Amino acid sequence: MDAHQRQFRNPFSMDTDCTNCSALCETRERVVHGYGDVGAEFLFVGEAPTAAAERTGVPFTGDETGKRVQRILGDLGFVRSDPDADEPDVQNVFFTYLTRCRHPDRGPTDNEVATCEPYLNAEIRMINPHIIVPVGQAALEALAFDYTTRAADSFDVDAEHATTIRGRGFELVPMKEPERLTDDDAEAFVEHVSESVFARDYRQTKGRQSR
C-alpha cells in the first residue's frame, strides 16, 4: 500500500455525483468507483456493479459472487480479511469496473461504457499495474481492444480463463464472470497466477508491444 494513501475506497476522489449518463442517474443508488491499493501491481476489472456492490460501494463484495472473488484474492495473498468483508483489507491489488453505475434491469450499453472510460483510463494511468485481470467477457473485450493487437471479438473468456495474454504494456490474465466460476475454475485461476505469474518476473512485461 502506498505510504501516502488515506483510504482504499475511491482513493483518487473521483466524482461520486457523476451525471454523464442520464438513464443511470435515474436508477442508480450510488456511483461505485475503484477500491484498493493505489500502488497495486494487479488490477481486476469487471463490467458493472452488482446490486451487492452498489449497496457496499465496493467492487466484488457483498454477495456470494463477491465472496467467491475475495476467496481467490485471499488465496493469492492480496486480501487479509474474511471473504464476506464489505471493505476488504487489501495489498497489491485494486478492483474496479468498466462502468460505475448499475441499471437494475439491464447491463451497460456501449455508449455508457465509452462515457465511463475516462475513469478507468485514469485509474490505469495512476496505478500503472503490471497485470490486468478482465473479469468476464465484456471486460475482456474492452481491455483487449485497448491493450492487445488482436480483434476484441476474437477473445472468448471461457477459453482464455486462467491464461496469460501479452498486451501492449500490460499482461492480461482473464477470469470468468464470478457467477459462473466453479470451484475448478477458481482453483485453475489461483494455480495459474501462483505458478505462471508469481513464479517469474512479470514486472519485466512493462512496455512490451507484442502478444
Side-chain angles (χ1 to χ4, degrees):
M1 181 175 174
D2 188 280
H4 303 292
Q5 183 171 2
R6 295 183 179 180
Q7 61 187 23
F8 286 136
R9 186 190 293 264
N10 190 16
F12 301 116
S13 300
M14 293 181 171
D15 185 6
T16 57
D17 297 312
C18 179
T19 58
N20 290 336
C21 300
S22 58
L24 296 179
C25 293
E26 295 172 359
T27 60
R28 76 182 184 211
E29 295 296 325
R30 73 163 98 192
V31 180
V32 183
H33 286 301
Y35 179 98
D37 182 348
V38 300
E41 295 174 320
F42 290 77
L43 174 66
F44 283 63
V45 183
E47 179 180 18
T50 61
E54 185 178 50
R55 175 182 59 78
T56 64
V58 177
F60 304 112
T61 64
D63 59 8
E64 288 304 315
T65 62
K67 289 179 187 177
R68 200 166 299 148
V69 174
Q70 295 301 319
R71 287 191 190 98
I72 289 171
L73 296 172
D75 288 344
L76 291 171
F78 293 138
V79 171
R80 297 165 288 198
S81 49
D82 292 334
D84 60 354
D86 286 348
E87 294 196 23
D89 181 12
V90 303
Q91 57 183 355
N92 203 25
V93 70
F94 196 92
F95 327 135
T96 194
Y97 292 121
L98 298 178
T99 57
R100 311 309 168 95
C101 298
R102 173 179 175 268
H103 194 288
D105 301 320
R106 61 167 175 79
T109 66
D110 290 345
N111 185 61
E112 287 164 353
V113 171
T115 300
C116 219
E117 188 174 16
Y119 288 127
L120 177 61
N121 288 343
E123 286 172 337
I124 291 174
R125 186 175 65 254
M126 290 186 283
I127 296 166
N128 195 26
H130 295 277
I131 306 292
I132 299 180
V133 179
V135 181
Q137 183 68 29
L140 175 57
E141 289 186 7
L143 292 165
F145 179 80
D146 288 332
Y147 296 115
T148 77
T149 57
R150 271 173 55 184
D153 60 6
S154 72
F155 288 94
D156 178 353
V157 74
D158 289 341
E160 309 281 358
H161 173 80
T163 67
T164 296
I165 302 166
R166 297 193 189 281
R168 294 194 296 263
F170 305 96
E171 287 187 338
L172 305 183
V173 181
M175 176 191 286
K176 289 183 181 179
E177 292 85 354
E179 60 270 21
R180 297 198 302 115
L181 275 175
T182 65
D183 289 345
D184 286 345
D185 291 331
E187 183 178 348
F189 187 86
V190 170
E191 181 178 333
H192 177 74
V193 174
S194 298
E195 297 183 2
S196 299
V197 179
F198 289 164
R200 61 179 172 77
D201 189 0
Y202 55 84
R203 295 169 184 86
Q204 293 182 0
T205 64
K206 294 299 289 182
R208 286 183 177 170
Q209 297 298 312
S210 60
R211 184 178 179 278

